[in-house]
Amino acid sequence: MPKELLIQVSPEQATQNAFLKEHVAKLLRTSVKEILHVNILKRSIDARQRSIKINLKLEVFFAGEPITEQKIDLPDYRDVSNAQEVIVVGAGPAGLFAALQLIELGLKPIVVERGKDVRGRRRDLKSINRDHIVNPDSNYCFGEGGAGTYSDGKLYTRSKKRGDVDRILKLLVAFGATPDILVEAHPHIGTNKLPKIIEDIREKIIECGGKVLFDTRVDDILVKNGKVQGIVTQNGDVIEADKIILATGHSARDIFELLHKRKIAIEAKPFALGVRAEHPQQLIDQIQYSCDYRGEFLPPAPYSIVKQVGGRGMYSFCMCPGGVIAPCATSPGEVVTNGWSPSKRDQVTANSGIVVELRLEDFKAFSKFGPLAGMEFQKSIEQRAFHLAGETQKVPAQRMVDFSQSRVSSDIPKTSYVPGTESVELGQVFPGFLTQIMREGFREFGQSMKGYFTNEAILHAPESRTSSPVRIPRDPETLEHIEIEGLYPCGEGAGYAGGIISAAIDGEKCAIKAAESIFRK
């Protein structure tokens, strides 16, 4: 029987199989010849002390034992060409994994996506970066794979359902992701690798008889006697089905407006909002690893920080080591920032959203919009930033210390944000209470991370799409909308997920519940 073992070694030693065998042999008081193979099950970094260590969970095989390696294959997906159809609105992680689960259960998914496929999206991303043109249906948030396709591709979640997480990770590996994501404590794929994986998932859906319709925006949801009957697209086409999984993402404002207009219950939801801070990656490495140069055996350092400031949480969000800041507006007349990293995380800058938790009472000035109050609050800040930065896709920017001292930065160095920056006192972008919390918070961040509070750090505003400003209420047991039979609010856009993995898990859960309802009849 193989034996599991926890060890701690240096970053260099963790890369040397021969050393690991010798080390394990010493710990087990046996000969190296008795150690047939050492397999790494889990890997994490311990940077709490000046001498950085790598934690390894190992599987040790002894001489004379067969080496059993985990083989990861795709499930036995069925041909569902003639099966009952279920509409899946949105081809982000929630929608795609819902579609795969439907196929596994013998149902035919009809995936409708307002944006383009991953290759087609690239032209629109170039347009927003170079020409400052925002396509409302194809951008960093909308299109095949959703916002996650052109993001850091983080694959960790606070979900306690580890079995579900492992299932999603194994499916991603089966579709082409590196098996390292099963090992790393904080796995990620990288925006350069995700598009091919997303394409392969789409091809599998089509190969099994499902449909994927791009450039297909939902303009109406057909409801009769409290039951869904289908959707109407922007071209007036009707697609009929009595089960709809609504997985439209956190930025599909037109869907929230449609539901409100159709008197389908939705509710305002708290979210977080702030800026995206960019530091030199070398500086973050020095802070986190307590060294001048991290060397070749350590990855670019991430950071995670949380403070209570003025009775509110202020924290890092979607931190991207060795990454860049991207323009993520979804409509003309607004600017929005987000971050992403390539798989190697080899850019010279590090960035993170630094955001403050909001409460429903913060949206009082927008109360006339009812459950859309938070969305309108969010929109007002994005539009104000657009005007202050010159009404292009440039963003308002300020050096960190200057911001905390209410001083306009005399110059802004070139940052990773391609459309460019405009020097603005960011107190003009945000409400006073939010500005004050961030000014105090950055000073406190600097006390916890010596060197973080510096004018080398450039703040880009706003980071506003942290999560959905709306929740679409659903029954906790059936996962159907509380009023509309056959409608399954799903993923980030409905307020039930926060990231690729949790969205994928929620997509599968909704697909299972939809299938249960169908097969009961």
Side-chain angles (χ1 to χ4, degrees):
M1 285 285 292
K3 182 180 181 64
E4 289 189 3
L5 196 64
L6 298 176
I7 67 170
Q8 194 175 67
V9 296
S10 74
E12 182 176 2
Q13 290 167 342
T15 67
Q16 299 173 351
N17 290 334
F19 170 82
L20 292 179
K21 273 191 177 184
E22 291 176 5
H23 189 62
V24 165
K26 286 181 182 178
L27 289 174
L28 298 178
R29 298 181 180 180
T30 188
S31 165
V32 175
K33 293 180 181 178
E34 291 299 311
I35 307 299
L36 180 64
H37 178 69
V38 176
N39 185 35
I40 298 175
L41 297 177
K42 290 293 177 184
R43 177 170 44 224
S44 64
I45 298 173
D46 185 348
R48 291 173 295 179
Q49 306 298 324
R50 192 166 189 85
S51 177
I52 297 168
K53 299 295 183 181
I54 305 296
N55 298 318
L56 295 177
K57 181 179 180 181
L58 304 177
E59 185 178 34
V60 182
F61 292 88
F62 298 93
E65 289 182 342
I67 298 176
T68 55
E69 293 198 17
Q70 187 180 33
K71 188 178 180 183
I72 298 174
D73 293 318
L74 288 173
D76 185 19
Y77 291 122
R78 316 181 193 184
D79 182 347
V80 294
S81 304
N82 299 314
Q84 181 166 336
E85 296 179 348
V86 176
I87 295 172
V88 180
V89 185
L96 290 176
F97 278 83
L100 289 174
Q101 183 70 80
L102 289 168
I103 292 170
E104 201 170 340
L105 295 169
L107 296 170
K108 179 178 180 176
I110 308 296
V111 182
V112 295
E113 168 56 51
R114 69 190 298 161
K116 299 175 183 176
D117 62 30
V118 287
R119 294 182 184 276
R121 285 178 78 180
R122 290 173 183 162
R123 291 188 291 272
D124 296 310
L125 301 187
K126 285 182 181 178
S127 291
I128 194 170
N129 274 295
R130 297 180 182 178
D131 306 320
H132 303 254
I133 296 171
V134 180
N135 180 336
D137 288 320
S138 178
N139 44 62
Y140 276 97
C141 292
F142 299 148
E144 186 177 20
T149 304
Y150 295 101
S151 71
D152 188 49
K154 291 179 179 63
L155 298 176
Y156 49 94
T157 175
R158 292 184 178 89
S159 170
K160 294 181 180 178
K161 295 192 174 181
R162 297 301 303 172
D164 291 336
V165 173
D166 290 342
R167 171 182 160 84
I168 300 300
L169 292 176
K170 288 174 182 176
L171 279 172
L172 287 167
V173 171
F175 277 109
T178 170
D180 283 350
I181 67 174
L182 301 173
V183 172
E184 300 296 341
H186 292 98
H188 92 122
I189 293 179
T191 196
N192 55 317
K193 298 286 185 69
L194 271 168
K196 179 62 169 64
I197 294 168
I198 297 298
E199 284 182 328
D200 288 348
I201 291 175
R202 178 232 303 164
E203 289 304 317
K204 176 57 68 175
I205 292 169
I206 294 170
E207 176 189 319
C208 293
K211 290 184 179 179
V212 182
L213 308 176
F214 295 113
D215 297 307
T216 305
R217 187 181 66 245
V218 173
D219 273 5
D220 201 2
I221 297 174
L222 300 176
V223 179
K224 185 176 182 181
N225 299 325
K227 300 179 181 180
V228 295
Q229 294 192 315
I231 60 171
V232 181
T233 73
Q234 81 273 26
N235 298 321
D237 297 329
V238 174
I239 303 174
E240 296 181 349
D242 61 8
K243 304 293 177 188
I244 299 174
I245 296 175
L246 193 63
T248 52
H250 59 42
S251 292
R253 289 170 171 166
D254 57 333
I255 292 296
F256 301 145
E257 291 166 344
L258 168 64
L259 296 176
H260 187 47
K261 178 183 176 183
R262 300 279 271 112
K263 295 184 170 33
I264 296 173
I266 60 173
E267 54 196 38
K269 182 181 78 63
F271 60 103
L273 187 144
V275 298
R276 188 151 281 267
E278 180 170 276
H279 289 77
Q281 180 62 53
Q282 186 177 9
L283 175 59
I284 299 300
D285 291 341
Q286 291 169 353
I287 295 170
Q288 296 296 84
Y289 293 146
S290 302
C291 61
D292 292 331
Y293 172 62
R294 75 170 185 267
E296 62 180 299
F297 299 108
L298 283 171
Y303 65 85
S304 176
I305 191 164
V306 180
K307 293 288 182 183
Q308 285 292 314
V309 186
R312 299 198 189 221
M314 177 171 166
Y315 56 92
S316 56
F317 169 82
C318 185
M319 194 274 151
C320 300
V324 301
I325 301 176
C328 292
T330 51
S331 294
E334 65 189 29
V335 292
V336 180
T337 65
N338 196 3
W340 60 267
S341 300
S343 57
K344 292 184 179 179
R345 290 179 165 171
D346 54 1
Q347 303 299 300
V348 298
T349 51
N351 68 79
S352 178
I354 305 296
V355 297
V356 176
E357 63 176 351
L358 298 174
R359 300 166 181 162
L360 294 180
E361 56 262 34
D362 298 328
F363 312 145
K364 282 183 180 177
F366 300 88
S367 59
K368 68 179 181 180
F369 296 101
L372 301 179
M375 187 187 84
E376 293 297 330
F377 173 93
Q378 181 189 60
K379 189 190 300 185
S380 71
I381 289 175
E382 296 168 359
Q383 292 174 345
R384 192 179 309 138
F386 175 79
H387 292 300
L388 287 168
E391 302 192 349
T392 65
Q393 281 302 298
K394 286 186 175 182
V395 294
Q398 194 170 11
R399 293 178 182 268
M400 185 181 287
V401 176
D402 288 347
F403 170 66
S404 292
Q405 296 176 353
S406 308
R407 181 176 62 226
V408 176
S409 299
S410 59
D411 71 303
I412 302 291
K414 182 177 175 58
T415 72
S416 66
Y417 184 82
V418 173
T421 59
E422 191 71 28
S423 181
V424 171
E425 205 296 283
L426 297 186
Q428 298 179 67
V429 177
F430 303 103
F433 79 91
L434 199 53
T435 299
Q436 188 58 35
I437 289 170
M438 287 193 288
R439 282 178 175 154
E440 293 177 18
F442 280 120
R443 294 190 187 97
E444 292 194 25
F445 278 26
Q447 292 172 7
S448 297
M449 292 177 61
K450 302 301 181 185
Y452 184 89
F453 184 63
T454 171
N455 258 352
E456 283 190 80
I458 309 301
L459 308 181
H460 302 64
E463 166 78 56
S464 51
R465 307 288 179 92
T466 55
S467 67
S468 177
V470 169
R471 177 174 286 107
I472 308 174
R474 68 188 189 189
D475 182 276
E477 178 60 34
T478 67
L479 303 188
E480 286 179 301
H481 188 274
I482 58 171
E483 297 173 347
I484 308 298
E485 185 178 331
L487 180 63
Y488 295 83
C490 182
E492 283 202 43
Y496 299 101
I500 292 172
I501 294 296
S502 60
I505 290 172
D506 202 56
E508 288 200 334
K509 286 164 58 179
C510 288
I512 290 168
K513 290 297 184 181
E516 287 176 356
S517 177
I518 289 170
F519 296 138
R520 271 198 307 267
K521 292 181 178 178

